[in-house]
Amino acid sequence: MMKSNSELDLQKKRFRPEIEGLRIVAALLVAIYHIWMQRVSGGVDVFFVVSGFLITASLLSKVDKDGTVNFFDFILGLAKRLFPAAFTVLLTIVIASYFILPEVQWTQTIKEVFASILYYENWQLAMTNTDYLDQTNAKSPVQHFWAMSIQGQFYVIWFFIIMIALWTSQRLKREIRKTLFVILTALTLISFGYSIYLTEVNQPWAYFDTRTRVWEFALGGLLFLFITRIRLPFWMSGVAGWLGLIALVSCGLLLDVGGRFPGYVALWPVVAAILVLAAGENPTRFGVEKFLGSRPMRKLGGYSYGLYLWHWPIVAFYYVVMGTTEIPVIHGILIILVSFGLSWMVTNIIEKPIRGIKGKRNYRPKVATALLMMAVPVLVANTVWSSSINNDINESTKASAQDFPGAMAIEKGLELSYDRNTELQPSPANLDGDVADTYEIGCHHEEGQADLPVCEYGELENPQYEVILVGGSHVVPWLGTLNTFAEDEGIKIYNITKISCRFNGEGVGEEMAPDCRDWNQMAKEKVIELDADLIITNTDLGTPANPEVEPERVELYRELEAHDVEIFGIRNNPRPLFDMSLCADSRNADNEECMVSADEYVPQPSKWSRVEDKPSNVTEYDYSEYFCPDGSCPAIIGNTIVYFDGFHMSNSYAESMGPIVREDLIEKLESLE
């Protein structure tokens, strides 16, 4: 049964004790899945539904009482609840990161702290191509603030939605809830459709996109509008509530919550939360609301926000300190207990006094001052840290190039060991920016892009030779190598690249972009059309897991042979199965993982040399000795950091390869004349 429309119109905001219990269950799920399963639980989606439910209730209550909502009072009220704990955690993270994190993670962490303070961390992660679910990524201690950022953006958006609904209802002379129902229904349908679409074409971006999550908040708002009209039979309410809780707990175990979120799969935790809330409106003797609304669960629920904020940085620092990505059961339990303890301290010592500031006189200035006092230390500490890094970067760029011979240290037989106090090129704190400029100027084919970007470098006016650099992200660094001598040698370079894609004719293989096949076809046609003197690309994948060259690659090169396309094939650099850039930090230099064996990653003979009936148009150049001298593959050679991330060559090291590749390339080009 449902209540009448008139009862709907009289609906009021009221305390729902089971929501506190639902919050702590969701927060514990997030922590448990992060700590032991390293995957997504669906708990954050519950927070979004609950937030939509409660903020809609709060805003409509203010409209019913005052006829409008004061924006500044609304924002200050939110800030009192959100900022104290968030800013305390962020300040702790800044200080701890300086002493704990490898220097190669500093710049990223600083950017993300600023993004978290200003509530755009989700967009920061999206724009830096972060895959939240990739276990091989170095985890930022503030990465979990993506959800808080979406929530903060949502609160501001919801204020304007309510005001639009109020303005529209006044003009149409109809009840605001009816207008709001239309708006929220439209938002739900549009956002849900967009979420399904974007998850299919670009799941990592979809995970952080605010627009793919709006429907979850909107469903929470719609539930508030109708929840008092829902009347469930005794047995149905009990079953629905417990079914919702069980579904929520089992979500991450039964579904591919990672790779398919937040599309239609997110309906599972969202519907689970709705079932629990609907059951709470129809209480029964043994219903789930009795458990979730019990005194212990309500008490724990008051610390769920802090648990969410604290557990992740502790996990991230644990990984670094212990040198592992696995957490024993007892250590994980301790992390949760410590998170609860910190949450209790911050809630009672910092948050409650600020939330307790009330009264009409000087209310806003007092609250604003208190919050400013919380924010300023974070901003100052992060700014000072950022400035010190910039100074170090400037100092390293002033040093003589002779101090950073890179690959030439091997060529000239120089000493390869280094003093850990020696400056490195690039500065470890600026390592993630030490990439070819193609990343900055749109030279790579983007997801779903119809045309094929082709950028030109080197001697553009009167080139003596033309070469094409074609392939994926492991080909891109060699542009830095070619650029060191292209103009002097009269070489024009065409850059045809796509990240997460291999030039193997079919675009197939692990971790390939969905439209890699289409790009391969376009790239092949463009290579034939340009009719350059030579194309430069890789001959293999570079991982021990792929001991042979893909048959598709061999067939592609054979097809190009029929078009008289000559190939300067470069054996791929070693691709360790962990983040090699972390080994550039002096604290990790003796880490067992950093002792990469040449026999394992660049065994001889090369994979291409073992291909039977090879196309005659391919000449392979094996530069493995410049990555793995003396049987090992270090992270630093000639005071130059070799990798800017897990296994992609840094631009600085690529440039140091210039004199070596120059000799081989010119000899090859001259032989074709």
Side-chain angles (χ1 to χ4, degrees):
M1 296 177 58
M2 286 193 176
K3 295 183 179 182
S4 66
N5 286 337
S6 61
E7 288 175 287
L8 171 62
D9 294 343
L10 294 174
Q11 180 186 359
K12 300 294 182 182
K13 173 187 173 184
R14 66 179 179 84
F15 179 63
R16 302 286 300 261
E18 76 278 5
I19 288 181
E20 293 301 304
L22 182 60
R23 277 173 163 165
I24 192 58
V25 170
L28 280 171
L29 282 174
V30 171
I32 289 169
Y33 276 68
H34 277 166
I35 292 170
W36 288 298
M37 302 180 189
Q38 297 186 336
R39 59 186 300 183
V40 175
S41 65
V44 167
D45 303 87
V46 173
F47 286 132
F48 291 166
V49 174
V50 170
S51 294
F53 182 91
L54 293 178
I55 201 65
T56 303
S58 177
L59 288 169
L60 286 180
S61 177
K62 293 181 185 297
V63 170
D64 290 340
K65 180 181 177 181
D66 303 325
T68 188
V69 181
N70 184 286
F71 179 76
F72 295 103
D73 286 341
F74 170 68
I75 293 299
L76 282 177
L78 288 173
K80 283 200 302 180
R81 294 197 299 272
L82 300 177
F83 288 3
F87 289 165
T88 302
V89 171
L90 287 172
L91 180 60
T92 305
I93 288 173
V94 171
I95 296 171
S97 295
Y98 179 80
F99 292 101
I100 296 176
L101 289 186
E103 194 172 345
V104 296
Q105 289 183 243
W106 284 6
T107 300
Q108 172 196 357
T109 302
I110 288 170
K111 290 178 181 178
E112 292 189 24
V113 169
F114 281 128
S116 299
I117 294 172
L118 300 176
Y119 280 77
Y120 67 90
E121 168 69 345
N122 60 313
W123 296 112
Q124 175 68 28
L125 294 175
M127 289 184 290
T128 53
N129 299 312
T130 299
D131 188 343
Y132 188 71
L133 312 164
D134 184 356
Q135 297 180 20
T136 64
N137 280 344
K139 303 301 184 184
S140 158
V142 291
Q143 192 165 294
H144 64 316
F145 268 82
W146 73 268
M148 304 310 306
S149 295
I150 288 181
Q151 204 162 12
Q153 295 160 26
F154 154 76
Y155 287 141
V156 175
I157 292 169
W158 232 240
F159 168 83
F160 289 105
I161 287 175
I162 294 295
M163 296 309 292
I164 290 171
L166 177 61
W167 181 86
T168 304
S169 62
Q170 289 174 343
R171 295 299 181 275
L172 298 178
K173 300 188 184 322
R174 60 184 300 175
E175 214 282 322
I176 184 176
R177 286 163 173 77
K178 296 178 181 178
T179 304
L180 186 60
F181 166 75
V182 175
I183 295 174
L184 295 188
T185 300
L187 284 175
T188 299
L189 295 175
I190 294 170
S191 173
F192 184 58
Y194 178 70
S195 181
I196 293 174
Y197 162 75
L198 193 60
T199 302
E200 288 295 322
V201 300
N202 192 346
Q203 189 274 332
W205 182 284
Y207 197 87
F208 299 117
D209 194 324
T210 305
R211 296 165 295 182
T212 65
R213 304 285 186 163
V214 167
W215 68 274
E216 300 179 59
F217 295 100
L219 275 180
L222 285 171
L223 179 64
F224 174 75
L225 295 179
F226 282 95
I227 197 166
T228 58
R229 302 180 67 189
I230 300 173
R231 281 291 174 259
L232 300 177
F234 176 86
W235 67 270
M236 187 180 292
S237 178
V239 170
W242 285 108
L243 179 62
L245 183 60
I246 293 171
L248 173 59
V249 173
S250 63
C251 176
L253 295 174
L254 300 179
L255 299 179
D256 177 16
V257 179
R260 294 158 64 190
F261 246 50
Y264 63 87
V265 180
L267 277 170
W268 183 294
V270 167
V271 172
I274 290 174
L275 288 175
V276 171
L277 293 173
E281 185 66 22
N282 300 267
T284 61
R285 184 177 179 184
F286 299 106
V288 72
E289 71 281 351
K290 290 293 190 292
F291 165 66
L292 294 177
S294 63
R295 181 177 177 82
M297 294 298 286
R298 294 201 313 269
K299 192 73 173 176
L300 289 173
Y303 303 112
S304 59
Y305 177 49
L307 172 63
Y308 178 84
L309 290 177
W310 283 109
H311 86 278
W312 179 250
I314 296 176
V315 168
F317 292 137
Y318 179 95
Y319 287 158
V320 176
V321 172
M322 304 302 290
T324 182
T325 56
E326 296 182 359
I327 302 178
V329 173
I330 187 64
H331 289 188
I333 293 173
L334 287 173
I335 287 173
I336 292 175
L337 292 176
V338 170
S339 300
F340 266 120
L342 292 170
S343 178
W344 181 89
M345 290 175 58
V346 173
T347 299
N348 290 282
I349 297 175
I350 299 175
E351 182 181 336
K352 283 186 176 179
I354 294 177
R355 292 181 64 175
I357 299 176
K358 297 179 180 178
K360 295 184 178 180
R361 295 187 60 185
N362 297 324
Y363 165 76
R364 291 178 182 171
K366 287 181 180 178
V367 173
T369 300
L371 295 175
L372 192 63
M373 291 175 62
M374 297 292 302
V376 166
V378 186
L379 290 167
V380 170
N382 211 44
T383 302
V384 170
W385 188 17
S386 178
S387 298
S388 68
I389 289 176
N390 290 333
N391 289 336
D392 290 343
I393 293 173
N394 291 335
E395 287 299 318
S396 68
T397 57
K398 293 176 183 178
S400 169
Q402 295 180 351
D403 296 331
F404 310 112
M408 293 304 294
I410 298 173
E411 182 75 359
K412 296 179 179 180
L414 303 178
E415 176 63 44
L416 297 184
S417 62
Y418 71 99
D419 184 338
R420 293 185 181 180
N421 295 318
T422 302
E423 293 289 341
L424 298 176
Q425 180 69 26
S427 167
N430 196 40
L431 185 56
D432 61 350
D434 194 54
V435 297
D437 65 359
T438 55
Y439 285 96
E440 302 294 333
I441 61 176
C443 281
H444 304 303
H445 184 266
E446 300 293 339
E447 194 77 45
Q449 188 173 351
D451 60 335
L452 182 74
V454 179
C455 289
E456 300 176 359
Y457 296 87
E459 176 54 54
L460 305 182
E461 299 299 328
N462 298 296
Q464 183 177 354
Y465 304 107
E466 292 185 348
V467 301
I468 304 172
L469 186 68
V470 58
S473 57
H474 280 263
V475 166
V476 174
W478 295 102
L479 178 63
T481 306
L482 299 176
N483 274 333
T484 61
F485 59 83
E487 287 192 40
D488 292 340
E489 296 289 356
I491 300 174
K492 182 177 183 178
I493 308 165
Y494 295 98
N495 183 90
I496 304 176
T497 51
K498 179 176 178 64
I499 307 304
S500 298
C501 193
R502 304 181 192 119
F503 187 52
N504 63 9
E506 296 295 328
V508 297
E510 297 178 1
E511 303 176 354
M512 293 296 93
D515 57 352
C516 187
R517 180 186 293 271
D518 295 337
W519 175 84
N520 261 272
Q521 185 61 34
M522 290 190 292
K524 180 175 65 176
E525 292 174 357
K526 179 58 72 172
V527 164
I528 295 171
E529 175 193 329
L530 288 173
D531 191 26
D533 297 288
L534 198 64
I535 74 166
I536 301 171
T537 190
N538 289 134
T539 54
D540 60 22
L541 301 183
T543 60
N546 305 98
E548 297 180 354
V549 177
E550 322 99 292
E552 298 85 4
R553 188 186 298 268
V554 178
E555 288 305 311
L556 169 64
Y557 295 170
R558 198 181 308 282
E559 182 180 351
L560 294 175
E561 179 184 25
H563 292 276
D564 297 322
V565 175
E566 288 290 326
I567 299 175
F568 186 96
I570 299 177
R571 184 181 186 180
N572 213 325
N573 63 262
R575 297 180 61 182
L577 302 178
F578 60 94
D579 192 343
M580 192 67 173
S581 68
L582 297 178
C583 297
D585 189 279
S586 61
R587 288 170 288 189
N588 292 331
D590 297 325
N591 190 309
E592 185 176 342
E593 275 193 330
C594 294
M595 308 302 176
V596 178
S597 167
D599 290 338
E600 180 180 3
Y601 286 94
V602 285
Q604 297 295 340
S606 71
K607 299 171 188 178
W608 181 261
S609 65
R610 297 197 300 268
V611 173
E612 295 182 3
D613 190 24
K614 293 186 287 291
S616 62
N617 62 325
V618 180
T619 304
E620 184 183 50
Y621 293 84
D622 187 353
Y623 297 113
S624 300
E625 64 180 296
Y626 297 102
F627 293 95
C628 304
D630 303 324
S632 65
C633 313
I636 298 170
I637 297 176
N639 295 338
T640 304
I641 301 176
V642 180
Y643 302 92
F644 77 82
D645 63 359
F647 40 70
H648 292 91
M649 182 168 45
S650 71
N651 192 61
S652 293
Y653 197 75
E655 290 178 346
S656 76
M657 292 284 294
I660 300 162
V661 174
R662 180 179 191 166
E663 182 177 346
D664 290 335
L665 185 63
I666 296 303
E667 180 182 352
K668 179 63 178 177
L669 288 169
E670 289 177 347
S671 71
L672 298 174
E673 293 180 343

